[in-house]
Amino acid sequence: AGTCDPLCSVDETSWEDFEANYRPKTDLLKAVAILAAAVAGSLAINHDWVAANQDAAMVALFVIGYGGIIFEESLAFNKSGVGLLMAATLWVVRSIAAPSNEAVISELSLASGQVSEIVFFLLGAMTIVEIIDAHQGFKLVTDNITTRKPTTLLWVVGLATFLLSSILDNLTSTIVMVSLLRKLVPPSEYRKLLGAVVVIAANAGGAWTPIGDVTTTMLWIHGQISTLPTMKDLVIPSAVSLIVPVALMSLTSEVNGRAQSSTELLASEQMAPRGKLVFSVGIAALLFVPVFKALTGLPPYLGMLFGLGVLWILTDAIHYGESERQRLKVPKALSRIDTQGALFFLGILLSVSSLEAAGVLRELATYLDSHIPNTELVAFSMGAVSAVIDNVPLVAAAMGMYDLSSFPQDSEFWQLVAYCAGTGGSMLIIGSAAGVAFMGMEKVDFFWYLKKVSGFAFAGYAAGIAAYLAIHNLDISLPMPLARIPFLSGS
């Protein structure tokens, strides 16, 4: 009937819905894209030209490739495929212009090791979340929200999403919370505003913990930020970036004084057997990752894989001999995770690492230092740009442009990058994975979000930066008992 369980994948749409919403792609745009790629490929074959103009060739390829990613919907090219093709092509160009093939292999091996840590981390986290989802474990969160008062519900949804996103990723939190809204509120402008609050809260909640957003995870894995200082310094700015928009939205006509007519919850699937146990162990596995890193000194992805292994053995044990419940086990969960999303990150990160190896990002950093000496303004600009394009390549570029000798671990710059890249995407609906998921699930129009929400999101973004600068200048420190906790005080 064109519907699915509230927690099903956003990609699962009925054939009737697809046929009704399908529009033929513009052949001219695709022809131009293919022509541009062919020209770029022809230039790349010319070794002499590439060797003499490596930077120009790589920047041109990156712009063309990223253009294909941005206009994925219009061109009908999957962004994961474009990202992988772009990464491979950029490294080919780098090999042509490099002093020796051995040097390129060494650079690629180093980049692949760093990128693989992030990809393994994401795959492990997504699998754990999928296992919890298969057991309907998130019902423990959604079933405890029963208020029908519009203003109160606005705040409850925002706070719940904020806390959920701090331990899960913002995409998963958005899917769970928008699914909850479908059970609480009938289709309306009010439900759209609630969904917009979910997007803002998911991005804000993911910005203040190392495991809440892929960009903070990237910075954490590579040592730019550590656990305790990040949480201590960013929790208040992140909360402010949520509180300000919600306070402003609560004054709008769609929320203020609105009477909800729906009083009954829609039916949903029952929790699977031992669902509470799986939920508890899965969340504990996610929370154990920073503890694992502090105790062992090993990379976080090993902690995530350790947690996945524990959950894998647990689900095999509790569902032993239950052939009808194979979908609740890890092998089936692996078939449902967003593998193409992980490959997209792989392509983007490898592409950016090629620019770093060629020295392009260092030249850009030098230009920014000479023209925008204020680091706060650089971070602010990165957040604004992340509302238009994905924040993953922006943060990857920042990591390549500035090393730890320029800005040490937990410096103001890196913390601002984590905050701005995480929350800046809320200003446009296409600026984050959470926004894109919300747009697909609720069929929200780009310009509706721009008109109704973007101003509120920008106000929260700017207020959060102001709050961070105020706290940083006041040099607020943790209470001594909390600061003595071993795994928190470590990096």
Side-chain angles (χ1 to χ4, degrees), residues 193 427-428 445-456:
L193 281 180
M427 289 187 283
L428 291 177
D445 182 75
F446 173 87
F447 292 101
W448 177 90
Y449 191 95
L450 181 65
K451 179 181 177 182
K452 297 282 188 177
V453 182
S454 293
F456 298 142

Side-chain angles (χ1 to χ4, degrees), residues 432-490:
S432 66
V436 172
F438 169 55
M439 179 167 38
M441 294 177 74
E442 290 293 284
K443 304 297 186 291
V444 175
D445 182 75
F446 173 87
F447 292 101
W448 177 90
Y449 191 95
L450 181 65
K451 179 181 177 182
K452 297 282 188 177
V453 182
S454 293
F456 298 142
F458 175 77
Y461 173 70
I465 293 178
Y468 174 84
L469 294 177
I471 293 172
H472 191 77
N473 291 332
L474 292 174
D475 193 24
I476 296 176
S477 59
L478 280 174
M480 287 305 295
L482 184 59
R484 292 193 184 102
I485 298 178
F487 75 88
L488 285 180
S489 58

Side-chain angles (χ1 to χ4, degrees), residues 134-149:
H135 287 78
Q136 294 292 319
F138 292 116
K139 281 171 61 63
L140 293 174
V141 178
T142 58
D143 287 353
N144 283 294
I145 303 178
T146 58
T147 181
R148 294 296 186 278
K149 188 176 180 181

Side-chain angles (χ1 to χ4, degrees), residues 155-462:
W155 286 98
V156 168
V157 167
L159 179 60
T161 308
F162 183 83
L163 295 176
L164 192 63
S165 183
S166 66
I167 55 176
L168 303 180
D169 63 279
N170 54 5
L171 176 60
T172 302
S173 302
T174 300
I175 293 173
V176 171
M177 296 307 298
V178 171
S179 301
L180 165 69
L181 297 182
R182 290 176 172 177
K183 294 189 280 185
L184 296 178
V185 184
S188 61
E189 284 286 299
Y190 173 62
R191 192 166 90 176
K192 288 183 179 180
L193 281 180
L194 284 172
V197 168
V198 167
V199 173
I200 295 172
N203 290 331
W208 68 279
T209 64
I211 62 174
D213 185 84
V214 65
T215 52
T216 51
T217 299
M218 289 165 55
L219 292 168
W220 178 54
I221 287 176
H222 291 293
Q224 279 80 7
I225 60 176
S226 58
T227 304
L228 177 62
T230 299
M231 297 174 67
K232 175 179 72 75
D233 292 340
L234 294 185
V235 62
I236 294 179
S238 297
V240 168
S241 71
L242 168 65
I243 292 171
V244 170
V246 173
L248 294 174
M249 286 182 185
S250 65
L251 301 177
T252 61
S253 59
E254 289 87 354
V255 177
N256 191 26
R258 176 184 171 86
Q260 292 299 101
S261 57
S262 177
T263 58
E264 295 184 1
L265 293 177
L266 300 179
S268 62
E269 290 185 6
Q270 296 296 318
M271 183 178 292
R274 276 86 67 181
K276 291 182 179 180
L277 174 62
V278 172
F279 175 82
S280 301
V281 174
I283 296 300
L286 295 173
L287 295 176
F288 180 70
V289 173
V291 182
F292 178 90
K293 181 178 185 295
L295 292 177
T296 65
L298 295 172
Y301 78 91
L302 277 179
M304 187 63 73
L305 296 180
F306 175 83
L308 175 59
V310 170
L311 197 59
W312 197 324
I313 298 299
L314 174 67
T315 52
D316 279 350
I318 63 179
H319 298 303
Y320 176 76
E322 300 175 348
S323 58
E324 72 280 3
R325 292 182 179 143
Q326 293 301 312
R327 66 181 183 83
L328 301 178
K329 295 185 178 181
V330 174
K332 286 293 183 181
L334 288 170
S335 68
R336 295 192 300 266
I337 64 173
D338 184 18
T339 308
Q340 69 172 3
L343 291 175
F344 169 67
F345 290 132
L346 175 64
I348 285 292
L349 294 174
L350 282 178
S351 298
V352 172
S353 66
S354 71
L355 297 178
E356 179 183 359
V360 174
L361 297 183
R362 176 54 57 188
E363 294 177 10
L364 179 59
T366 303
Y367 176 85
L368 291 176
D369 285 339
S370 61
H371 290 79
I372 312 178
N374 189 300
T375 56
E376 291 89 347
L377 187 57
V378 171
F380 183 89
S381 302
M382 289 183 61
V385 174
S386 74
V388 181
I389 62 176
D390 194 88
N391 55 5
V392 172
L394 286 176
V395 173
M399 292 164 58
M401 287 158 47
Y402 304 99
D403 54 31
L404 291 174
S405 62
S406 303
F407 297 104
Q409 185 182 63
D410 296 320
S411 64
E412 179 180 309
F413 175 74
W414 292 121
Q415 290 187 342
L416 276 176
V417 167
Y419 168 82
C420 293
T423 60
S426 300
M427 289 187 283
L428 291 177
I429 197 170
I430 62 171
S432 66
V436 172
F438 169 55
M439 179 167 38
M441 294 177 74
E442 290 293 284
K443 304 297 186 291
V444 175
D445 182 75
F446 173 87
F447 292 101
W448 177 90
Y449 191 95
L450 181 65
K451 179 181 177 182
K452 297 282 188 177
V453 182
S454 293
F456 298 142
F458 175 77
Y461 173 70

